[in-house]
């Protein structure tokens, strides 16, 4: 559905800035392509570091990650900026310095690039920029959007529950469940739309007593900034978090538009992986349906070498077929092979995690998990179908954004005529 703004009969032009971590870049890329398919012009701003790592992981070097989808007719432009650190700086090993740079330095590079894009568009090089779409975890989007007279769309890549807990930090403080001398341990039962939750089940940042870390500074500043957003897009599904989403919608313009996957849940036409990928299809096709365990710890978490060894031994002991996606820097960026000696060639037996693996993979004991996965999958598929809840939410967002752009342009034209 391609919607056009009233300004020079052109489609909305959005600048899109993802948070430079794998789990944020992937849904941002897919959201950008979804919006472009609905008529948007997109200018996607990546960091030099993310672009370099993605290009290096690809089989052939990439100058423009979106060249393929642009050839198919989507209007997505692409550029990169510095995150404030040298390209060769190990961001994984030096987490606090990386986060500090995103907190204090990155916005200056972004602002410079946004100004360039806005000026180029205004001079006739592209459709006029109407909005800024940026990850909620950034601490500056509302200020940059205001400076260049853009609407601000905040993109939250996690569940609505997590957003709501951060959004209501003031209630957690007031009720003694966060940032207090004697933190309460009873259930948190006062967050709008959130069922009673045990403090031990909340995000790790809400359980820490030292709230002076750079990550806490980012969370505090980001969730102050998001209150000035014109729209919030969330990578969730209304049916999975109905009460939480509805409560947030009563406070802010909040749209549940997930899951943000490639169209048809097929492989992405845009390179998004920061590490080289292997095709396991042939091996998988030789195994019975539902017999292979997938193991991954994500793109950023670190664990001790002892824990990795125990997990590896437990997988071996379980005897199940498995695919383990493991980063070379999961233990340390200086330790490129954290697996036990000989693990890649012999079955190493050690009792640890094998019992739970077998309980999960067993046809009888694991049936409840498989049933739950099938139900969630159907909910996700239904949500993104035409007239599904997420499809409708996306249409509402585009209509509301279009109206806001038209109103903003109308006010600007009225002022220009001297009224």
């Amino acid at each position: 559905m391609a919607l056009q703004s009233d300004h020079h009969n052109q489609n909305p032009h959005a600048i899109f800035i993802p948070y430079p971590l794998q789990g944020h870049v992937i849904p941002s890329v897919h959201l950008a392509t979804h919006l472009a398919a609905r008529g948007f012009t997109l200018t996607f701003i990546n960091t030099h570091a993310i672009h370099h790592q993605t290009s290096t992981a690809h089989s052939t070097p990439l100058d423009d990650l979106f060249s393929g989808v642009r050839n198919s007719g989507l209007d997505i432009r692409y550029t990169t900026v510095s995150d404030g650190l040298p390209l060769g700086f190990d961001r994984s090993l030096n987490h606090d310095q990386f986060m500090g740079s995103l907190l204090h330095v990155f916005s200056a590079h972004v602002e410079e690039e946004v100004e360039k894009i806005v000026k180029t568009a205004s001079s006739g090089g592209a459709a006029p920029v109407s909005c800024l779409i940026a990850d909620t975890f950034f601490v500056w989007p509302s200020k940059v959007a205001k400076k260049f007279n853009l609407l601000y769309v905040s993109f939250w890549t996690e569940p609505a529950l997590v957003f709501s807990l951060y959004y209501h930090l003031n209630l957690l403080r007031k009720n003694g469940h966060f940032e207090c001398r004697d933190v309460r341990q009873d259930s948190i039962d006062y967050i709008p739309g959130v069922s009673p939750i045990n403090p031990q089940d909340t995000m790790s940042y809400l359980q820490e007593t030292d709230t002076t870390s750079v990550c806490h500074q980012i969370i505090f500043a980001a969730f102050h900034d998001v209150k000035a957003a014109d729209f919030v897009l969330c990578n969730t599904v209304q049916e999975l978090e109905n009460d939480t989403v509805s409560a947030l919608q009563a406070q802010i313009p909040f749209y549940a538009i997930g899951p943000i996957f490639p169209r048809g849940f097929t492989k992405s036409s845009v390179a998004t992986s920061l590490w080289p990928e292997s095709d396991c299809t042939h091996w998988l096709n030789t195994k019975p349906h539902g017999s292979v365990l997938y193991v991954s710890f994500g793109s950023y978490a670190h664990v001790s070498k002892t824990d990795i060894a125990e997990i590896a031994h437990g997988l071996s002991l379980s005897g199940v077929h498995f695919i383990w996606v493991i980063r070379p820097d999961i233990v340390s960026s200086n330790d490129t092979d954290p697996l036990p000696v000989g693990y890649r060639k012999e079955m190493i037996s050690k009792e640890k995690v094998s019992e739970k693996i077998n309980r999960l993979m067993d046809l009888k004991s694991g049936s409840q998990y498989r049933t739950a996965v099938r139900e969630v999958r159907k909910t996700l598929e239904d949500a993104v179908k035409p007239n599904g809840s997420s499809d409708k939410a996306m249409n509402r967002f585009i209509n509301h954004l279009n109206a806001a752009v038209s109103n903003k342009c109308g006010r600007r034209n009225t002022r220009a005529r001297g009224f």
Side-chain angles (χ1 to χ4, degrees), residues 287-319:
K287 304 297 181 284
H289 180 73
S291 67
V292 179
L293 176 68
Y294 175 74
V295 184
S296 175
F297 292 91
S299 64
Y300 206 65
H302 290 84
V303 295
S304 70
K305 184 153 187 170
T306 299
D307 288 342
I308 279 288
E310 292 298 331
I311 293 167
H313 296 152
L315 283 166
S316 295
L317 184 60
S318 72

Side-chain angles (χ1 to χ4, degrees), residues 73-266:
L74 300 187
D75 191 0
I76 304 182
R77 298 97 191 273
Y78 181 70
T79 188
T80 63
V81 298
S82 171
D83 59 12
L85 294 168
L87 195 61
F89 183 83
D90 193 324
R91 290 154 177 80
S92 178
L93 186 62
N94 301 285
H95 171 269
D96 285 357
Q97 292 94 320
F98 176 38
M99 292 294 111
S101 184
L102 294 181
L103 176 62
H104 299 294
V105 182
F106 183 47
S107 62
H109 297 283
V110 166
E111 189 170 317
E112 183 179 29
E113 189 64 26
V114 168
E115 181 176 26
K116 185 190 307 180
I117 295 167
V118 169
K119 285 183 175 179
T120 300
S122 298
S123 64
V129 180
S130 53
C131 66
L132 172 68
I133 306 175
D135 196 290
T136 307
F137 269 125
F138 287 128
V139 303
W140 41 259
S142 71
K143 304 175 188 65
V144 172
K146 183 177 181 180
K147 178 173 181 178
F148 297 102
N149 196 31
L150 306 175
L151 293 168
Y152 167 34
V153 181
S154 182
F155 181 38
W156 180 249
T157 61
E158 301 179 36
L161 169 63
V162 179
F163 182 97
S164 188
L165 290 173
Y166 283 141
Y167 193 81
H168 293 99
L169 280 174
N170 61 318
L171 293 182
L172 294 172
R173 289 190 182 99
K174 179 181 177 181
N175 287 276
H177 278 112
F178 176 67
E179 213 173 22
C180 299
R181 180 176 297 176
D182 299 312
V183 177
R184 290 170 53 183
Q185 297 301 317
D186 56 322
S187 293
I188 299 169
D189 59 1
Y190 45 82
I191 305 296
V194 176
S195 300
I197 184 172
N198 190 312
Q200 281 71 45
D201 293 330
T202 62
M203 302 82 81
S204 60
Y205 295 117
L206 296 184
Q207 299 183 44
E208 294 174 1
T209 54
D210 179 9
T211 60
T212 63
S213 72
V214 65
C215 285
H216 282 94
Q217 293 177 50
I218 289 174
I219 291 167
F220 298 157
F223 277 84
H224 173 75
D225 187 82
V226 77
K227 295 183 190 307
D230 295 288
F231 307 94
V232 178
L233 303 181
C234 183
N235 191 16
T236 191
V237 172
Q238 183 87 34
E239 289 84 350
L240 295 180
E241 301 189 90
N242 183 60
D243 291 345
T244 303
V245 170
S246 297
L248 286 166
Q249 288 171 336
Q251 302 181 68
I252 54 177
F254 193 90
Y255 303 79
I257 61 167
I260 307 296
F261 287 142
R263 291 198 169 274
F265 294 82
T266 55

